[in-house]
Amino acid sequence: MTNSASRPGRTTGEARPVHPVYPAWQPPSTSRAANAGPLPAPEPGFEPDIIVVGHGLAGLVATYEASRAGKKVLVVDQENEKNLGGQAFWSLGGLFMVDTPEQRRIGISDSLELAWRDWLGSAAFDRPEDARPREWARAYVEFAAGEKRRYLHDLGLRIVPTVGWAERGGGEVDGHGNSVPRFHVTWGTGPEVVRVFEEPVRDAAREGRVRFAVRHRVDEIVVEDGRAVGVRGATLVPCDLDRGVASPREETGEFEFRAKAVLLSSGGIGGNPDLVRKYWPTAKLGEAPRDLIVGVPEHVDGRILEISADAGANLINRDRMWHYTEGVAHFAPIWPSHAIRIIPGPSTLWLDGNGDRMPVPLFPGYHTTASIEAIRRAGHDYSWFILDSSIAGKEFILSGSEQNPELTDKSLKKFASKAGSGLPPSIADFTEKGVDWVVADSIEELVAGMNELVNEDEPELDLEKVREFVLAMDGQMDNPFAKDAQVQAIHNARRVLTDKLTRMAKPHRLLADSGPGKGSAAGSGGPLIAVKVHLMTRKTLGGIETTLDSQCVAEDGQPFPGLYAAGEVAGFGGGGVHGYNSLEGTFLGGCIFSGLKAGRAMAREV
C-alpha cells in the first residue's frame, strides 16, 4: 500500500511557489506561438483606438478581430508576458460543438434543436435579468452549430477525431446534460487555442497596430460625460516568473491610457477563494465550503468586476458559479493551493465524505452542480473515488494542457499509446506522490489508507460498509444486464465507439474474492486506487451584463457608451450565458464568441 503518511501535507492557501519544480512530463509553460518573442510596449505617440484590459483568450480574440479591421489596440495586463493567453493556456482545449464531421464519423446524430433543448434544460433560466443571457445562449448555440468550427479551422486549429461525452446529466430528459457527446478536444490542447490567435496578433504588432502594456494593473475605468474613455492604474515591479506563478504586487508608478473604446476581459474570481465564499449560492448548494483548493492562478482575482461596478456597469448573477468536485492537490504546485481536476469516466465508484454512496444518478462526470450540493449536504468539502488501475489507466484524464503532453505536443505515437494498458506518466506520478491518493492490493489496505487521509474532524470509513458496496457493484459486472443505474450508464457509454476503444475500461469486478473477513484482494484490473477528491474552484458564471455586441449595460439598463466586456468577466456573454450549469467545452468557446463579438463591434464603432 502507498504510505500516504510519508508525503508532505497538502498545499495551503498561504503557500506561494516562486520557482516550481516541474515533473519530467511537464516542461515549464512558455508561449508556444511559432514566432514568439517579446511583446512590444507602446512607444511615445502610440494612440490606440481600443484598450483591451486582460490578455487572456477573450482579449486576444477581440484584439485579433479589431486589428484585422485596421484598428490600433493597446492590450493591458497586470501579469507578465509569459501569461499571455491566460487560463486558456492551461486548458485541455475542449470545445462544445454541434453536428460536426467528428460526431458524424462515429455515428452521433446531433442538431441545433437538440443542443438548444439541452442548453435550456441545463441553464434553467429563471430570473428577469436572464433576458440578455438567454439571447446570448441562443446565439452561442447557433455559433457552435455553425460558424465556430469553420472559423477556428481557417485559423489553423484542428480537432482530435474522438468526441467526449461530458456532463451527461441528471437522468431527466428536460433537465441538465448533453444528450450526445459534444466535447471536441483541440489537437494541441489549450496552447494551440492560444496560438492560433496569438500569431496573427503578433503579426499585427509587427505592423504597428497592436501594443502591450504588461505589469500594468488597472484600478479605475475613466468615464467622462457617461462614456468610457480610458483606464488608470499602477505599474507593477517587473518580474520574469513562470506562467501561473503568483507575482509581486509592488507598485513602481502610475499610468493613464485613453482610447475610443475599452474592453474588459480580465477573467473571473476562481483564484480568490474568499470572494468565491462571499458569493457562494447557499440556498442552492448549501453552506460555503471551508476548504477549497484552487483550479486557476492567483491573478484570477475578480478585481475588475468590482471596478466595473464602481464605473457604473451592471453586474448580475454573481451567485452563479461552476466549480468541480474532483480536485486533487498538485504535488508540484505552481500557484497557491494548486489543484488538478480528475475528469473521470463512469466506472469509478463514488462515496461521499461519510462513506455513503453518492445519490443516484450522480455518477462521476454526470451533473457537477447537483454533485456539489450532495457533497455539501453530507457535511463535507470532499468525497471519495474508488476504482482500480485498469479503470484509472483508461478513464482518468487529468484536466489541463500540461497533464496531457501527448495531445499538447501533437504526438501521434504518444496519443496512440493511450489506447493501450497501464497508467499514463502523469497519473502514475500522482498515485506515487499525490497526497490525496491511496494504492493498495486489498480492500482492507485501501480503506486503512483512506482513513489515514481523514482529518480529526472528519469521519473514518467503515471497512465492511465499503466492502459490501464494492461487492454489490461487482455482482452487476458479469453480463450486459444490470439493475444498477450506474452499470447501465457504463454500458450506454460504451456504445460510443471512440469511448469504447480509448476511454472506457471493460466492465469487470474490482475484487478477486468476496465475503466479510475473507481478505478481499484486488481483481484482474490490478491494484485498487482510492482518491480523496476535493471541491475545487474554477469558473464564474455571472458577471457584467452585456448586449449581443458585448457592450456593457449600465445600471439604468441602457448600453454603456464606449465600454465592452468579454469572456468570464461577462459570464461568457450577457452576464451569464450558462445559467446555472455548463455543458462543458463552453468556457473557451464563450471567450472566443464574446471576444469575436466585442472585437467586431468595437471596430465598427471606432
Side-chain angles (χ1 to χ4, degrees):
M1 181 182 76
T2 301
N3 181 12
S4 58
S6 65
R7 301 169 180 165
R10 182 159 59 80
T11 305
T12 66
E14 286 69 43
R16 302 179 87 239
V18 175
H19 301 292
V21 178
Y22 300 98
W25 39 266
Q26 180 188 339
S29 296
T30 57
S31 173
R32 297 185 186 220
N35 53 358
L39 299 174
E43 62 273 8
F46 180 75
E47 296 183 358
D49 300 300
I50 295 164
I51 294 170
V52 171
V53 180
H55 64 198
L57 180 60
L60 273 179
V61 176
T63 300
Y64 163 69
E65 288 290 342
S67 63
R68 73 193 291 234
K71 305 303 177 182
K72 290 185 177 181
V73 184
L74 174 63
V75 184
V76 183
D77 200 285
Q78 70 178 0
E79 300 305 313
N80 66 18
E81 63 184 20
K82 291 184 178 180
N83 287 278
L84 185 65
Q87 297 175 66
F89 188 96
W90 297 103
S91 76
L92 190 59
L95 297 164
F96 174 93
M97 291 192 283
V98 177
D99 192 21
T100 64
E102 289 77 19
Q103 288 175 301
R104 293 191 290 272
R105 286 190 197 108
I106 56 177
I108 296 169
S109 178
D110 199 6
S111 68
L112 170 62
E113 293 74 20
L114 182 61
W116 178 234
R117 191 177 299 118
D118 286 348
W119 194 287
L120 285 179
S122 298
F125 295 123
D126 62 357
R127 297 171 176 173
E129 56 266 37
D130 283 333
R132 284 193 172 93
R134 185 184 173 109
E135 291 178 352
W136 266 92
R138 179 66 189 189
Y140 177 70
V141 175
E142 289 175 352
F143 176 68
E147 182 187 1
K148 184 177 184 178
R149 187 182 184 281
R150 182 177 66 256
Y151 177 76
L152 293 171
H153 188 276
D154 290 348
L155 282 163
L157 187 139
R158 298 295 180 265
I159 299 297
V160 175
T162 60
V163 183
W165 197 353
E167 286 297 299
R168 305 180 191 206
E172 296 178 335
V173 70
D174 59 349
H176 170 57
N178 284 297
S179 295
V180 298
R182 296 188 176 110
F183 191 78
H184 297 67
V185 175
T186 300
W187 185 235
T189 67
E192 183 72 358
V193 178
V194 172
R195 182 192 68 80
V196 300
F197 293 101
E198 179 183 346
E199 286 187 343
V201 165
R202 285 182 178 273
D203 289 342
R206 282 194 293 274
E207 293 166 5
R209 296 194 304 278
V210 177
R211 290 293 180 264
F212 291 84
V214 297
R215 300 297 286 159
H216 283 63
R217 187 190 67 210
V218 171
D219 298 324
E220 181 186 355
I221 299 164
V222 181
V223 180
E224 294 178 352
D225 298 324
R227 181 182 185 87
V229 296
V231 293
R232 295 190 186 103
T235 55
L236 304 179
V237 61
C239 71
D240 193 39
L241 295 171
D242 285 349
R243 178 187 293 271
V245 174
S247 62
R249 293 290 179 259
E250 180 184 348
E251 299 177 10
T252 61
E254 298 177 345
F255 70 87
E256 179 175 320
F257 298 126
R258 292 195 166 225
K260 300 170 186 175
V262 175
L263 172 69
L264 307 176
S265 54
S266 56
I269 66 173
N272 186 339
D274 290 337
L275 208 54
V276 170
R277 293 186 189 96
K278 177 180 178 180
Y279 290 106
W280 185 265
T282 55
K284 189 173 182 65
L285 298 183
E287 185 180 351
R290 180 190 63 187
D291 185 18
L292 281 166
I293 52 180
V294 182
V296 294
E298 187 181 55
H299 60 74
V300 187
D301 54 19
R303 291 183 68 257
I304 292 296
L305 283 165
E306 309 304 326
I307 291 167
S308 68
D310 290 342
N314 194 43
L315 272 58
I316 59 176
N317 299 319
R318 298 296 303 274
D319 61 333
R320 291 182 183 168
M321 308 175 181
W322 189 254
H323 306 303
Y324 287 116
T325 60
E326 314 99 335
V328 291
H330 201 325
F331 61 85
I334 296 172
W335 55 78
S337 286
H338 188 168
I340 296 294
R341 182 200 173 199
I342 299 171
I343 304 176
S347 302
T348 294
L349 306 184
W350 200 0
L351 304 177
D352 66 20
N354 298 316
D356 296 316
R357 185 184 191 179
M358 286 284 286
V360 173
L362 301 183
F363 312 130
Y366 274 65
H367 196 325
T368 294
T369 53
S371 299
I372 292 174
E373 180 182 8
I375 290 167
R376 293 299 300 129
R377 299 296 182 199
H380 305 288
D381 303 333
Y382 67 92
S383 55
W384 297 98
F385 281 169
I386 295 177
L387 63 160
D388 62 20
S389 295
S390 68
I391 295 174
K394 279 280 193 180
E395 299 190 18
F396 266 18
I397 296 175
L398 297 176
S399 181
S401 55
E402 78 284 10
Q403 307 295 328
N404 296 275
E406 71 286 345
L407 292 172
T408 302
D409 296 340
K410 302 183 185 179
S411 170
L412 287 172
K413 182 178 180 181
K414 292 179 182 178
F415 182 66
S417 71
K418 290 274 285 185
S421 59
L423 296 176
S426 57
I427 293 175
D429 258 8
F430 270 90
T431 63
E432 295 173 7
K433 304 172 186 176
V435 297
D436 298 310
W437 301 66
V438 179
V439 181
D441 293 323
S442 71
I443 194 72
E444 291 82 7
E445 292 179 346
L446 189 78
V447 174
M450 295 165 74
N451 284 332
E452 288 181 11
L453 299 184
V454 302
N455 297 319
E456 290 183 0
D457 58 345
E458 298 170 349
E460 290 196 354
L461 297 160
D462 179 82
L463 168 61
E464 293 305 326
K465 184 178 178 180
V466 175
R467 189 207 311 266
E468 180 55 35
F469 172 51
V470 175
L471 290 174
M473 293 297 288
D474 278 358
Q476 300 280 296
M477 297 296 177
D478 291 338
N479 58 67
F481 308 101
K483 72 176 183 180
D484 187 82
Q486 182 171 0
V487 181
Q488 293 171 358
I490 292 169
H491 291 304
N492 188 40
R494 287 175 60 81
R495 296 171 64 192
V496 182
L497 178 61
T498 51
D499 269 10
K500 181 177 180 180
L501 294 176
T502 65
R503 183 79 166 92
M504 294 286 300
K506 184 177 179 180
H508 62 278
R509 293 171 176 258
L510 293 184
L511 302 179
D513 49 9
S514 61
K518 291 189 177 180
S520 301
S524 61
L528 301 171
I529 296 174
V531 191
K532 187 179 185 182
V533 287
H534 306 263
L535 298 184
M536 181 185 88
T537 68
R538 184 72 96 191
K539 296 298 181 185
T540 309
L541 298 188
I544 303 171
E545 186 178 12
T546 60
T547 70
L548 271 177
D549 281 332
S550 287
Q551 187 171 7
C552 295
V553 175
E555 293 173 342
D556 63 2
Q558 298 301 308
F560 196 134
L563 191 62
Y564 294 77
E568 192 174 355
V569 75
F572 301 95
V577 67
H578 297 90
Y580 290 98
N581 295 286
S582 169
L583 288 173
E584 291 288 20
T586 56
F587 300 131
L588 293 179
C591 288
I592 292 167
F593 186 53
S594 60
L596 176 156
K597 298 282 279 185
R600 292 177 180 177
M602 290 187 298
R604 289 194 301 268
E605 180 187 352
V606 305

